């Protein structure tokens, strides 16, 4: 699955699968925001493979969580 497909999956999970579960929705949002930051920095492209880049995505999530 590429990054663009993964972002679409996050949107589906947020709107449909976890509708009303604010704790999980917050994590899904943060995951999407981390991906957006990496895309803007040029560290990811929409066509990169998610499985090959998930470590840097989760590292970006951890960094942002520490700062608010």
């Amino acid at each position: 699955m590429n990054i663009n497909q993964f972002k679409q999956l996050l949107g589906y999970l947020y709107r449909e699968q976890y509708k009303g579960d604010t704790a999980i929705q917050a994590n899904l949002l943060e995951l999407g925001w981390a991906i957006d930051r990496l895309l803007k920095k040029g560290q990811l492209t929409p066509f990169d493979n998610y499985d090959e880049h998930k470590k840097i995505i989760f590292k970006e999530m951890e960094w942002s969580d520490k700062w608010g």
Side-chain angles (χ1 to χ4, degrees):
M1 174 181 318
N2 68 32
I3 297 296
N4 198 41
Q5 293 167 326
F6 184 70
K7 284 186 65 175
Q8 290 175 358
L9 174 62
L10 290 176
Y12 167 79
L13 292 173
Y14 180 87
R15 289 185 302 278
E16 302 294 331
Q17 191 71 29
Y18 295 104
K19 187 176 185 175
D21 188 335
T22 56
I24 292 178
Q25 285 181 319
N27 283 315
L28 293 171
L29 283 174
E30 181 55 43
L31 182 54
W33 293 335
I35 291 169
D36 285 343
R37 286 192 299 273
L38 292 167
L39 287 167
K40 287 178 185 174
K41 293 179 194 177
Q43 292 180 283
L44 288 178
T45 72
F47 306 105
D48 286 337
N49 184 291
Y50 167 74
D51 287 326
E52 294 173 4
H53 293 86
K54 62 186 171 187
K55 287 183 182 180
I56 65 166
I57 295 168
F58 285 104
K59 187 175 180 180
E60 179 72 17
M61 277 183 71
E62 291 172 11
W63 175 85
S64 67
D65 190 40
K66 292 177 186 174
W67 299 103

